[in-house]
């Protein structure tokens, strides 16, 4: 039986609880420092509260301590790890190998920031003691399958939804170079969402003022079963900066997909946590923040993965402008609109322009002012759906754990057993007189034992012996019911189990370290990390880019390729380019970045000069 895990983001404890309520088997959250999203940190007490809540459903909490650490921060980081272990978090996501040495009592997960794209890298991470590896977003389904076949005894976590980084994670130094804000320190300034000109070596402008590095958002909702077949077991939703409505909608969408797969394969798969969710809305992925969707490299290299005209949310397509009359207009199609909806369109300059609908009358839309660039026939998108957000806001605690109640007769009275399938059992015996009932008591017994009220449990079945014909007062039934539910609660998992805890730190000297062409790419920023890598390989290591900028190292390494995206990749059937290389990306302030097309490795590198 393979357990499948839906892993949702938690900006804070409220978002984390909402994710659990809406079907997540695990959540990942940042502590107050050293997470790859510096803007969202959480206190130890909040994370502890989230652990208690998640563990009620046997769901897990993973904490991101996945930035590089400086020497002066090692002691503080060690204290943080000890605190996280003490409150029962289930795993810690790691980039810096100094943190690897600090984690003793919970599972270690290799963050995608450790650049996990090859069999060799995943095998090495497994060998040094990582229970799970978060794979690079750029991998195809077949590449994931090859990794699983080569290293079957490590858990593979894959991103399935949300924003895409154009560079391999952990290998992006653009934000550090341009703004002194390191992506490896959780302070990415989103260099890739900026506007550039694409210029050749003769200063001919090929593309002007476009978001040439901005990608659409990932959506693998149609590929989940293929990813399972490839060996992935954890399916990660990106979005620790996203709001609670995004978390609810996207979590429900993917939870339903997993439930459908399990329903068709009940002897093969199960969910990694307990409980059933009762939804009050139908999820619609296009109604949450998105820049348009792509499956990225799931099926190998393809075009149309960039969002060059805007890095902003487009939302869902709702129709075309049918008619503009006075201060209102109509939209063709079947979409219904609500006062306050946010709409947008691409104007004649191919720039995204947005506006708010103040009033809707008979499907005529009245904005405060008709946008100057709006024309009949233009495609309209909705990136703020008021009616849908109202539905999401009403969706609260909707997760219940099914319990089977079994009542039997014993010598001293009656015994009640409450069972959560494949998990735990609680029972009690209540002394009572065996009074034969004049009329059948079955309906009343079922009704009394099913009253689980505001608990996290719901009675899925009441089992009685065929010959059960006794009268039991309602007060005794209620007392027995309360007793077994309290025992179920007392026996629930509150901390990570022994199976989830890390083995003792392994000796790394016998593990073959995959070598980079330039050792800057190991992101070594402290003495403990340096000692770790020297134990792995007897060679010299350069300090992290954040400590010493190195012009020989690309500031971005991308599987995404502008040659291919623009239709000029001859290797993949494109037309021959007319420009003179090298090409440069140019910012409006005059800064230029040279492009290198590494066709042998099918990769585009970006250099700072």
């Amino acid at each position: 039986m393979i357990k499948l895990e839906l892993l949702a983001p938690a900006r804070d404890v409220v978002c984390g609880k909402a994710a659990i309520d809406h079907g997540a088997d695990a959540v990942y959250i940042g502590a107050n420092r050293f997470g790859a999203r510096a803007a969202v940190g959480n206190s130890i007490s909040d994370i502890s509260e989230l652990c208690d809540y998640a563990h009620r459903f046997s769901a897990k909490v993973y904490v991101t301590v996945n930035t590089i650490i400086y020497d002066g921060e090692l002691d503080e980081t060690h204290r943080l790890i000890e605190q996280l272990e003490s409150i029962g978090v289930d795993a810690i996501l790691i980039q810096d190998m100094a943190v690897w040495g600090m984690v003793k009592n919970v599972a270690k997960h290799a963050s995608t920031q450790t650049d996990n794209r090859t069999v060799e890298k995943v095998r090495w991470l497994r060998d040094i003691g990582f229970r799970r590896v978060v794979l690079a977003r750029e991998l195809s389904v077949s590449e994931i399958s090859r990794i699983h076949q080569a290293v079957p005894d490590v858990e593979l976590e894959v991103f399935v939804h949300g924003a895409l980084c154009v560079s391999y994670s952990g290998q992006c130094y653009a934000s550090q170079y341009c703004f002194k804000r390191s992506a490896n320190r959780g302070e990415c300034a989103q260099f890739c969402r900026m506007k550039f000109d694409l210029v050749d070596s003769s200063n001919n402008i090929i593309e002007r003022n476009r978001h040439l590095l901005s990608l659409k958002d990932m959506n693998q909702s149609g590929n989940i079963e293929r990813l399972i077949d490839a060996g992935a077991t954890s399916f990660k939703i990106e979005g620790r900066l996203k709001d609670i409505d995004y978390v609810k909608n996207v979590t429900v969408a993917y939870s339903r997909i997993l439930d459908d797969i399990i329903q068709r394969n009940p002897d093969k798969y199960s969910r990694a946590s307990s409980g059933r969710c009762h939804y009050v809305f139908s999820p619609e992925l296009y109604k949450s923040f998105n820049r348009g969707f792509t499956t990225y490299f799931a099926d190998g290299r393809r075009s149309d993965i960039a969002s060059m005209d805007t890095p902003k949310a487009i939302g869902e397509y709702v129709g075309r402008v049918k008619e503009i009359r006075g201060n209102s207009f109509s939209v063709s199609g079947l979409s219904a609109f609500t006062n306050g909806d946010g709409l947008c369109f691409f104007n004649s300059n191919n720039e995204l322009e947005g506006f708010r609908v103040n009033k809707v009358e008979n499907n005529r839309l009245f904005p405060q002012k008709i946008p100057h660039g709006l024309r009949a026939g233009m495609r309209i998108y909705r990136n703020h759906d008021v009616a849908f957000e109202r539905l999401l806001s009403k969706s609260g605690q909707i997760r219940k754990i099914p319990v089977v109640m079994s009542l039997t007769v014993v010598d001293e009275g009656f015994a009640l057993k409450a069972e959560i399938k494949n998990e735990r059992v609680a029972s009690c015996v209540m002394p009572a007189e065996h009074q034969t009932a004049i009329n059948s008591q079955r309906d009343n017994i079922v009704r009394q034992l099913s009253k689980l009220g505001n608990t996290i449990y719901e009675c899925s079945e009441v089992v009685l012996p065929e010959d059960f014909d006794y009268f039991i007062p309602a007060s005794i039934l209620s007392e027995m019911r309360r007793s077994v539910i309290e025992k179920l609660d007392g026996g629930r998992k509150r901390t990570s189990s022994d199976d989830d805890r890390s083995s003792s730190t392994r000796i790394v000297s016998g593990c073959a370290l995959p070598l980079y062409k330039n050792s800057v790419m190991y992101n070594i920023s402290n003495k403990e990390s340096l000692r770790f890598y020297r134990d792995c390989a007897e060679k010299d290591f350069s300090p992290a880019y954040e400590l010493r900028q190195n012009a020989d190292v690309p500031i971005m390494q991308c599987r995404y390729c502008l040659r291919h995206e623009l239709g000029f990749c001859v290797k993949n059937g494109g037309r021959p380019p007319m420009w003179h290389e090298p090409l440069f990306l140019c910012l409006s302030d005059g800064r230029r970045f040279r492009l290198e097309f590494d066709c042998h490795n099918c990769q585009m590198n970006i250099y700072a000069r």
Side-chain angles (χ1 to χ4, degrees):
M1 183 69 71
I2 298 172
K3 291 188 175 182
L4 305 178
E5 176 186 273
L6 178 59
L7 177 56
R11 181 177 65 182
D12 51 32
V13 65
V14 175
C15 279
K17 289 181 177 180
I20 298 298
D21 288 343
H22 289 77
D25 301 294
V27 295
Y28 62 105
I29 189 170
N32 54 5
R33 289 199 67 184
F34 311 124
R37 296 291 184 272
V40 282
N42 295 274
S43 68
I44 293 296
S45 61
D46 279 353
I47 297 173
S48 178
E49 179 184 341
L50 180 58
C51 286
D52 283 345
Y53 190 81
H55 292 159
R56 301 171 77 188
F57 300 96
S58 298
K60 295 184 178 182
V61 177
Y62 308 142
V63 180
T64 57
V65 188
N66 58 340
T67 65
I68 59 174
I69 309 296
Y70 294 154
D71 278 320
E73 299 167 333
L74 289 172
D75 289 344
E76 182 184 356
T77 308
H78 202 173
R79 286 193 295 272
L80 173 63
I81 297 299
E82 289 178 336
Q83 290 174 316
L84 292 172
E85 290 183 335
S86 72
I87 62 173
V89 304
D90 298 282
I92 293 174
L93 280 83
I94 298 168
Q95 176 187 14
D96 194 311
M97 293 304 158
V99 180
W100 173 91
M102 298 175 188
V103 178
K104 307 293 185 184
N105 297 310
V106 298
K108 300 172 184 177
H109 291 182
S111 169
T112 190
Q113 295 294 120
T114 54
D115 186 24
N116 312 319
R117 47 177 145 150
T118 66
V119 167
E120 293 74 22
K121 185 63 173 289
V122 174
R123 180 182 289 119
W124 177 74
L125 290 166
R126 185 277 313 272
D127 287 348
I128 65 171
F130 280 100
R131 176 183 293 272
R132 176 182 295 185
V133 176
V134 187
L135 295 178
R137 295 168 173 87
E138 291 83 357
L139 296 184
S140 67
V141 174
S142 60
E143 286 172 318
I144 293 168
S145 180
R146 282 199 294 273
I147 289 172
H148 173 64
Q149 290 170 18
V151 198
D153 53 344
V154 68
E155 297 173 5
L156 298 181
E157 180 180 308
V158 295
F159 283 91
V160 294
H161 198 89
L164 288 166
C165 298
V166 72
S167 175
Y168 284 106
S169 292
Q171 302 300 310
C172 181
Y173 310 114
S175 186
Q176 172 67 30
Y177 174 80
C178 291
F179 310 109
K180 304 302 179 187
R181 289 174 54 180
S182 168
N184 283 320
R185 297 274 293 166
E187 298 171 340
C188 176
Q190 296 199 315
F191 171 87
C192 58
R193 304 296 182 187
M194 299 176 73
K195 283 185 175 181
F196 299 93
D197 290 341
L198 181 63
V199 179
D200 72 2
S201 60
S202 300
N203 282 328
N204 296 310
I205 297 178
I206 301 162
E207 295 285 340
R208 186 186 297 275
N209 207 28
R210 300 189 72 191
H211 302 274
L212 295 171
L213 298 179
S214 181
L215 302 184
K216 295 178 180 178
D217 286 0
M218 179 183 279
N219 180 344
Q220 302 288 9
S221 57
N223 286 324
I224 300 301
E225 195 156 10
R226 294 175 62 206
L227 290 167
I228 294 170
D229 291 340
T233 55
S234 180
F235 307 94
K236 187 171 194 170
I237 300 166
E238 183 277 337
R240 282 201 296 121
L241 296 176
K242 297 295 198 300
D243 61 26
I244 192 170
D245 287 345
Y246 178 95
V247 171
K248 288 180 179 180
N249 185 34
V250 179
T251 300
V252 170
Y254 282 89
S255 183
R256 281 186 164 183
I257 292 168
L258 287 179
D259 285 344
D260 177 66
I261 293 169
I262 291 168
Q263 187 175 10
R264 289 187 279 107
N265 301 274
D267 298 325
K268 194 173 181 181
Y269 306 121
S270 66
R271 292 296 290 267
S273 63
S274 303
R276 296 187 300 202
C277 295
H278 305 276
Y279 306 118
V280 298
F281 66 91
S282 295
E284 297 186 48
L285 291 173
Y286 273 97
K287 288 184 180 293
S288 288
F289 183 100
N290 71 87
R291 301 174 176 90
F293 285 131
T294 175
T295 57
Y296 208 25
F297 292 99
D299 293 295
R301 185 171 293 282
R302 56 175 296 170
S303 297
D304 194 32
I305 62 177
S307 178
M308 292 188 182
D309 295 318
T310 181
K312 298 179 181 178
I314 297 174
E316 61 173 332
Y317 171 69
V318 291
R320 292 183 180 269
V321 177
K322 184 177 181 180
E323 176 198 26
I324 300 176
R325 187 172 68 234
N327 64 340
S328 69
F329 69 97
S330 59
V331 177
S332 63
L334 301 176
S335 297
F337 298 93
T338 305
N339 296 350
D341 278 353
L343 304 182
C344 56
F345 64 98
F346 287 98
N347 60 27
S348 57
N349 295 323
N350 217 27
E351 294 179 335
L352 193 68
E353 191 172 337
F355 61 97
R356 180 180 182 274
V357 176
N358 279 4
K359 183 174 64 173
V360 179
E361 287 185 359
N362 299 321
N363 219 32
R364 288 200 71 80
L365 310 183
F366 293 80
Q368 184 174 5
K369 181 182 178 182
I370 293 289
H372 178 73
L374 193 67
R375 299 286 184 271
M378 284 183 166
R379 294 170 65 90
I380 293 291
Y381 302 85
R382 174 164 49 195
N383 53 14
H384 179 66
D385 188 326
V386 170
F388 188 66
E389 290 189 1
R390 285 173 183 163
L391 275 177
L392 292 176
S393 68
K394 294 176 182 177
S395 179
Q397 203 284 322
I398 53 176
R399 185 166 180 164
K400 298 282 186 177
I401 299 174
V403 175
V404 176
M405 296 284 202
S406 301
L407 184 65
T408 55
V409 182
V410 294
D411 290 343
E412 60 268 45
F414 300 95
L416 181 64
K417 180 177 72 173
E419 181 177 7
I420 301 172
K421 186 178 179 181
N422 299 325
E423 192 171 322
R424 59 187 184 271
V425 177
S427 60
C428 73
V429 174
M430 182 67 65
E433 181 183 353
H434 294 160
Q435 285 185 288
T436 302
I438 299 174
N439 300 311
S440 174
Q441 296 295 301
R442 284 180 173 272
D443 289 346
N444 180 59
I445 291 171
V446 169
R447 185 167 53 253
Q448 293 296 330
L449 295 182
S450 299
K451 290 181 179 179
L452 300 185
N454 293 325
T455 70
I456 62 170
Y457 307 102
E458 62 181 2
C459 182
S460 60
E461 184 182 7
V462 175
V463 179
L464 293 171
E466 286 291 331
D467 58 351
F468 192 95
D469 61 352
Y470 296 100
F471 169 77
I472 307 176
S475 59
I476 291 179
L477 290 171
S478 296
E479 188 174 347
M480 295 175 75
R481 183 191 67 229
R482 283 193 298 269
S483 176
V484 293
I485 292 301
E486 286 175 2
K487 289 179 180 179
L488 279 182
D489 266 353
R492 72 189 182 209
K493 179 181 173 185
R494 291 184 178 273
T495 60
S496 54
S497 68
D498 290 339
D499 288 342
D500 295 327
R501 295 186 182 277
S502 255
S503 58
S504 59
T505 300
R506 300 191 188 187
I507 298 172
V508 298
S509 56
C511 301
L513 173 67
L515 298 178
Y516 285 118
K517 182 178 179 180
N518 194 313
S519 63
V520 169
M521 295 159 59
Y522 292 107
N523 299 321
I524 299 171
S525 59
N526 60 72
K527 60 187 178 183
E528 294 300 328
S529 183
L530 178 60
R531 182 180 296 115
F532 172 92
Y533 281 108
R534 282 179 174 168
D535 286 343
C536 290
E538 294 182 2
K539 65 185 298 291
D540 292 329
F541 290 92
S542 300
Y545 190 91
E546 286 79 2
L547 299 178
R548 185 193 303 166
Q549 289 189 5
N550 187 322
D552 295 329
V553 176
I555 61 171
M556 278 188 173
Q557 298 180 63
C558 315
R559 195 168 204 175
Y560 165 78
C561 175
L562 273 169
R563 262 193 196 166
H564 189 273
E565 187 71 11
L566 295 173
F568 294 100
C569 176
V570 177
K571 180 180 177 181
N572 286 284
R575 58 192 185 276
M578 304 299 293
W579 56 64
H580 302 286
E581 295 190 2
L583 301 183
F584 298 87
L585 291 173
C586 301
L587 288 171
S588 59
D589 62 7
R591 283 182 288 181
R592 292 159 64 92
F593 305 89
R594 178 173 61 86
L595 301 183
E596 174 189 72
F597 298 101
D598 180 359
C599 295
H600 176 73
N601 294 307
C602 217
Q603 181 171 305
M604 181 179 75
N605 298 322
I606 303 175
Y607 288 85
R609 69 176 191 181

